[in-house]
Structure formats: structure tokens, C-alpha cells
């Protein structure tokens, strides 16, 4: 694909968007965030002046874009900020507007509490407070699969662990079974085993 259409959801500082544009000369990028102040900052920076990028205010749980508008939608390090209903909506909307939804977030594991003393040294109580809350809110693979099953859209979700400690999930819509032609009756029978 020479000119992939990429939607970055929850872009924050826009570092991923800049990385994509620098390494993929044909990519067309929409960087977005639900916070208008963040989008204003993005528009004033390099992404706002890049000929292959647009900066938009978009809610990842209710994307204002037509079906199939993008080849890839990406959400990084923000999944844990969403409530379960928001994750289900993200999965439904992300796979509606893009052929593939890629999610990268922290891997839910209690061993990460071992970094709390380092956070205390580097950032003090505020960093510890925010970090522990984020660790508690991370979604595990089972939760992502369960929420995908309840999101109201047929999809396939794959999750995997990536070092040093990330949950990577890819979601794609499954095609619904074809409608039978008018006048044709389709009967299904349970499999009863071999004929005797």
C-alpha cells in the first residue's frame, strides 16, 4: 500500500504521527484527540503544517468519519483511560472507520508495582499516585476479548505481549454471512456424525 490512510486516536503530543510521516513518505495521517486544547497545540506545531497531515477533534468512542475511511486506526497508551463501555465503543468505532484497529497499552501485571519506588524518586507523590491508578486500570487480554464480544459488531481480536511490557491488540471486522438470494431457502442441520 503506497498511500495508507492512518488515523491516530488520542494523539497527545503527536510523536507517533510524526514518526509515521517521517518513515512512510506516502502515508496520509489524521491525528486526533478528544481535547480541543491538545488539537490546537498539534495544529500549531509541525503536524499542523505538514502537507500529509490533518489535526482533528475526535472522540475515539464516537468517530465522526464514514465507514472504511482509513486503512489503520491507532490508539497508544490511552486504553486504560476508558471505562469498559468506552473500550467496547472504541472497538466498534475503530473497526468501523478503519480496516484494522491497533491498540498499544500497558500489560496488566502486579509485578509493575516494583517500579513505584523509582517513581517516587523521579516524580514524587504525584507521579506515584497517577502511576498506581494507571496500573490498576490497565486492561488484560481477557478483558479486551470480552469487551469485543459485547461491543455489538462482529470482529476478530488478537492480543499479544510485547517487551518491555505492552499489550498489543489488533481488531478487524468480520464479514457477516451473505444474505440468501430471494426465493432460496437455506436449511441448516446439526452434524449428527457419520451415516450408518
Amino acid at each position: 500500500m503506497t498511500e495508507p490512510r492512518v488515523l491516530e486516536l488520542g494523539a497527545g503530543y503527536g510523536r507517533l504521527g510524526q514518526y509515521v510521516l517521517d518513515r512512510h513518505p506516502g502515508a496520509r495521517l489524521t491525528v486526533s484527540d478528544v481535547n480541543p486544547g491538545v488539537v490546537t497545540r498539534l495544529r500549531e506545531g509541525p503536524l499542523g503544517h505538514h502537507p500529509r497531515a490533518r489535526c482533528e477533534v475526535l472522540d475515539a468512542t464516537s468517530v465522526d468519519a464514514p465507514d472504511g475511511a482509513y486503512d489503520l486506526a491507532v490508539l497508544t497508551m490511552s486504553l486504560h483511560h476508558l471505562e469498559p463501555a468506552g473500550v467496547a465503543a472504541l472497538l466498534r468505532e475503530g473497526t468501523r472507520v478503519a480496516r484494522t484497529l491497533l491498540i498499544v497499552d500497558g500489560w496488566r501485571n502486579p509485578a509493575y508495582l516494583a517500579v513505584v519506588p523509582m517513581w517516587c524518586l523521579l516524580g514524587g507523590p504525584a507521579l506515584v499516585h497517577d502511576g498506581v491508578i494507571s496500573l490498576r486500570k490497565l486492561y488484560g487480554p481477557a478483558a479486551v476479548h470480552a469487551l469485543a464480544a459485547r461491543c455489538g459488531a462482529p470482529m476478530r481480536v488478537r492480543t499479544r505481549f510485547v517487551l518491555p511490557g505492552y499489550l498489543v491488540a489488533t481488531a478487524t471486522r468480520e464479514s457477516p454471512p451473505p444474505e440468501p438470494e430471494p426465493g432460496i431457502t437455506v436449511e441448516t442441520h446439526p452434524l449428527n456424525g457419520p451415516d450408518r
Side-chain angles (χ1 to χ4, degrees):
M1 188 174 305
T2 57
E3 292 190 357
R5 300 160 300 158
V6 180
L7 170 63
E8 183 181 4
L9 298 162
Y13 293 102
R15 291 187 190 118
L16 176 62
Q18 194 62 57
Y19 180 89
V20 169
L21 291 171
D22 290 346
R23 281 155 186 80
H24 299 280
R28 303 279 174 197
L29 178 69
T30 300
V31 290
S32 70
D33 202 282
V34 71
N35 184 328
V38 169
V39 175
T40 297
R41 189 183 69 243
L42 290 169
R43 286 178 178 153
E44 292 170 353
L47 289 173
H49 298 94
H50 198 288
R52 291 183 286 119
R54 291 182 343 194
C55 304
E56 302 288 336
V57 176
L58 287 178
D59 181 348
T61 65
S62 179
V63 181
D64 184 16
D67 295 1
Y70 298 95
D71 298 301
L72 176 68
V74 183
L75 179 80
T76 59
M77 301 312 293
S78 297
L79 189 70
H80 61 277
H81 293 293
L82 298 174
E83 297 297 325
V87 174
L90 164 74
L91 289 163
R92 184 177 57 251
E93 284 293 285
T95 58
R96 179 186 66 79
V97 300
R99 290 185 356 197
T100 301
L101 170 64
L102 172 66
I103 300 168
V104 180
D105 206 36
W107 185 268
R108 186 180 179 93
N109 190 314
Y112 291 141
L113 292 174
V115 301
V116 169
M118 182 180 66
W119 287 342
C120 192
L121 290 172
L122 295 176
L127 181 61
V128 171
H129 177 265
D130 191 44
V132 169
I133 289 174
S134 293
L135 287 175
R136 288 183 62 227
K137 292 176 72 178
L138 291 173
Y139 289 91
V144 173
H145 285 277
L147 291 166
R150 294 186 199 130
C151 80
M155 70 179 61
R156 180 191 343 231
V157 176
R158 294 182 181 174
T159 56
R160 66 186 191 279
F161 174 80
V162 175
L163 290 172
Y166 297 108
L167 167 73
V168 176
T170 54
T172 55
R173 286 281 177 110
E174 291 186 340
S175 301
E179 294 287 326
E181 292 182 30
I184 297 177
T185 303
V186 178
E187 294 184 20
T188 58
H189 299 282
L191 184 59
N192 294 324
D195 293 336
R196 295 186 183 191

